[in-house]
Amino acid sequence: MKGRRRWCWRGEHRRLVLLLALYTLLLLLLVPYALDYGARRARADQEPLLRRCPSLEEALSEWGWEQRRPPLDDNADDDEEEAAAAAAAAGNGSGAGKRHIYLHATWRTGSSFLGELFNQHPDVFYLYEPMWHLWQALYPGDALSLQGALRDMLRALFRCDFSVLRLYAAPAAPRDPLGAAPPAAANLTTAGIFGWRTNKVICSAPLCPAAPRPRREIGLVDGAACEQRCPPRALRELEAECRKYPVVVIKDVRLLELGALLPLLREPGLNLRVVQLFRDPRAVHNSRLKAKQALLRESIQVLRSRHRAEPRGPPRPRQPPLPPGLGLPGAGRGPAQHRAEFFLGGALEVICQAWLRDLLLARRDPAALRRRYTQLRYEDLVREPRAQLRRLLRFAGLPVPPAMEAFVVNMTRGDAYSSERPFLISARDAREAVHAWRERLSRQQVRQVEAACGEAMSLLAYPLSAGERR
């Protein structure tokens, strides 16, 4: 009897050990699955977008960025950033201890107004679209093929080395590569820099002793008065002024992809920060149509990059970007206008695909972007000018002068919206500009823009029109 009980107890013991072993095995299988489930759920919303933007992986590999596993220690990234900041402060050269801000935008997004806010700040050395020189000299190079040259140009300009401008100031006609540089390149002055007539450093003392107002006074520069009173100065004098300022800001619209800046963001001695400006693509297209002849040449350069913006894999059915005949209502439509509208519409589609890649890259949160990158919508800037100005200047590490708060409010609360000169910076009712596309674009134009830019609009929280919501 006792032996039988002992045998039963041993059987129960074996079953208990077997159940514990099976339970342990089940836990070992379920825990990794549960951890992976959360990550897969977090990526679920992005998977359809990634299928529409497979070129993101190709672009990332070109710029030398690889997806890294997140560190086990949450403080590892903070330690890395502190080390980078310390290296930047201890670095050598003109970039040591300075902050460099790049305003990353595209045409007709309100980037000139955003740049003007930094141009007004008394502690900022500002350059307006210096890469215009490169695009003009290397025309008709497509936007993507020029990104490496644009990045190298940015690196030199941020370090107050303006000799790079001489490389692209010469006439575009062929010349003897072994001969002397033409006078236009050798004697480039401040008067040869794009947008110099409204630059507050060039149009004020000490570069311009006869300037009507001091540098620290907030207010727009009178371009005609600057051209009349401020004689051209050598670039080395402008470089010397650049080195005096704690913050250098460059605004441009010709860098197509945020990924092109990753090598600069990794440079510890550069201390680069990026502000990317977005705007409702329907408003962008409406504004671009008003200036279509002025934007035709550069739209062609963007459109030539379409091969990268097209999705890989099976082709998806889609309509042409903007077929001929979809111009502004009531405008005369000759053959040249049809071509211009077609090129502008195709370029907008490429730009929206570039936006999508930038937004997905930012969502992946690479270490090079963390705390060095911020996004801004034009609509938020004009609706909440004071709050957004404070946020921008805090991101740049700059104080907020009270006069600048009054300036940004006055610039967005003008009497009128439209201007016969769309590239002129002036006070206007920017709140009206937010919805002006509703009255100026036809339904077919709106549908075309939303079809080309729907994914980017979704990530930027721009609602589709009532008939196109998905």
Side-chain angles (χ1 to χ4, degrees):
M1 189 72 175
K2 186 180 294 185
R4 186 174 179 181
R5 289 180 181 175
R6 186 181 296 112
W7 181 85
C8 292
W9 183 86
R10 289 179 179 176
E12 292 290 338
H13 180 70
R14 291 192 187 96
R15 283 194 293 270
L16 181 60
V17 171
L18 180 61
L19 287 174
L20 287 174
L22 291 175
Y23 182 72
T24 303
L25 180 62
L26 184 62
L27 286 178
L28 291 175
L29 293 175
L30 285 178
V31 170
Y33 176 81
L35 293 176
D36 185 61
Y37 178 75
R40 287 187 284 109
R41 284 293 301 272
R43 295 193 301 266
D45 294 338
Q46 294 188 19
E47 285 180 357
L49 296 174
L50 288 171
R51 286 195 293 270
R52 286 292 303 274
C53 191
S55 56
L56 175 65
E57 300 296 339
E58 179 182 343
L60 290 176
S61 63
E62 288 185 7
W63 300 122
W65 180 78
E66 297 179 357
Q67 178 73 32
R68 297 190 304 172
R69 295 181 61 87
L72 297 178
D73 184 4
D74 293 338
N75 297 324
D77 287 337
D78 296 337
D79 295 341
E80 180 181 348
E81 290 171 5
E82 290 177 3
N92 297 322
S94 61
K98 296 173 73 82
R99 296 180 298 282
H100 303 92
I101 314 294
Y102 179 68
L103 306 182
H104 181 35
T106 189
W107 296 268
R108 314 310 301 152
T109 55
S111 61
S112 295
F113 171 59
L114 175 62
E116 184 61 31
L117 297 181
F118 285 95
N119 185 37
Q120 291 296 323
H121 200 285
D123 297 331
V124 168
F125 182 92
Y126 174 70
L127 287 178
Y128 174 85
E129 299 191 10
M131 276 86 90
W132 176 88
H133 298 276
L134 188 149
W135 266 46
Q136 296 299 313
L138 300 184
Y139 182 84
D142 68 90
L144 284 171
S145 67
L146 297 178
Q147 288 195 112
L150 290 174
R151 182 192 62 223
D152 295 340
M153 187 176 186
L154 270 178
R155 179 187 286 110
L157 294 175
F158 275 132
R159 297 186 182 279
C160 298
D161 178 9
F162 299 155
S163 62
V164 66
L165 294 172
R166 294 191 179 95
L167 299 175
Y168 306 106
R175 61 182 179 88
D176 182 4
L178 301 179
N187 300 327
L188 184 65
T189 65
T190 54
I193 295 178
F194 193 59
W196 71 275
R197 293 175 182 84
T198 57
N199 187 289
K200 295 206 72 173
V201 174
I202 297 177
C203 299
S204 61
L207 292 182
C208 182
R213 60 171 63 182
R215 169 68 179 89
R216 303 189 70 85
E217 182 179 333
I218 305 298
L220 293 174
V221 176
D222 185 342
C226 178
E227 186 173 7
Q228 180 180 5
R229 299 186 181 190
C230 303
R233 308 297 289 265
L235 284 189
R236 64 178 179 273
E237 297 181 60
L238 187 62
E239 291 174 344
E241 286 299 306
C242 174
R243 296 187 185 98
K244 297 177 182 178
Y245 285 81
V247 178
V248 177
V249 177
I250 296 178
K251 170 258 175 180
D252 213 285
V253 294
R254 293 164 183 83
L255 195 75
L256 195 60
E257 292 183 332
L258 177 64
L261 296 174
L262 289 177
L264 299 186
L265 286 163
R266 291 195 196 97
E267 291 190 18
L270 197 57
N271 193 12
L272 175 63
R273 306 176 189 184
V274 179
V275 177
Q276 184 162 13
L277 178 65
F278 296 98
R279 188 181 183 183
D280 190 325
R282 295 161 295 196
V284 172
H285 186 59
N286 175 52
S287 183
R288 285 165 63 84
L289 286 176
K290 293 175 63 178
K292 55 179 174 287
Q293 294 302 327
L295 295 174
L296 177 59
R297 180 164 164 156
E298 293 183 325
S299 294
I300 292 174
Q301 289 177 272
V302 173
L303 190 56
R304 294 187 66 204
S305 302
R306 166 171 265 167
H307 68 280
R308 175 79 74 78
E310 288 293 333
R312 272 48 169 180
R316 60 183 175 92
R318 62 179 180 85
Q319 298 175 339
L322 277 178
L326 293 182
L328 287 171
R333 298 188 179 111
Q337 290 174 332
H338 289 166
R339 278 197 307 275
E341 292 158 13
F342 184 85
F343 288 137
L344 261 66
L348 181 62
E349 184 175 0
V350 176
I351 289 169
C352 284
Q353 286 295 315
W355 278 6
L356 181 59
R357 288 194 294 273
D358 290 351
L359 291 166
L360 292 176
L361 172 60
R363 285 195 169 197
R364 288 188 171 202
D365 197 25
L369 285 181
R370 201 167 300 139
R371 296 185 182 179
R372 290 173 175 253
Y373 169 80
T374 189
Q375 297 172 357
L376 172 67
R377 300 195 317 172
Y378 172 78
E379 292 80 6
D380 298 330
L381 176 61
V382 299
R383 285 170 176 155
E384 304 172 343
R386 283 195 180 94
Q388 295 300 327
L389 175 67
R390 295 191 197 104
R391 183 174 75 88
L392 285 172
L393 297 184
R394 184 168 61 249
F395 176 76
L398 290 166
V400 185
M404 281 199 65
E405 291 192 355
F407 175 81
V408 70
V409 172
N410 292 335
M411 291 294 290
T412 56
R413 302 296 186 266
D415 296 331
Y417 153 63
S418 183
S419 173
E420 296 300 325
R421 299 173 62 186
F423 296 97
L424 178 68
I425 300 175
S426 60
R428 59 188 66 182
D429 189 354
R431 294 170 297 179
E432 182 181 346
V434 170
H435 299 296
W437 61 269
R438 299 179 184 273
E439 300 177 0
R440 298 170 184 266
L441 295 183
S442 67
R443 289 186 178 180
Q444 189 171 5
Q445 287 174 313
V446 171
R447 284 196 296 268
Q448 291 286 341
V449 173
E450 291 179 349
C453 304
E455 290 86 354
M457 291 174 64
S458 175
L459 292 179
L460 291 167
Y462 289 121
L464 300 177
S465 56
E468 296 292 331
R469 288 179 182 168
R470 293 175 290 188

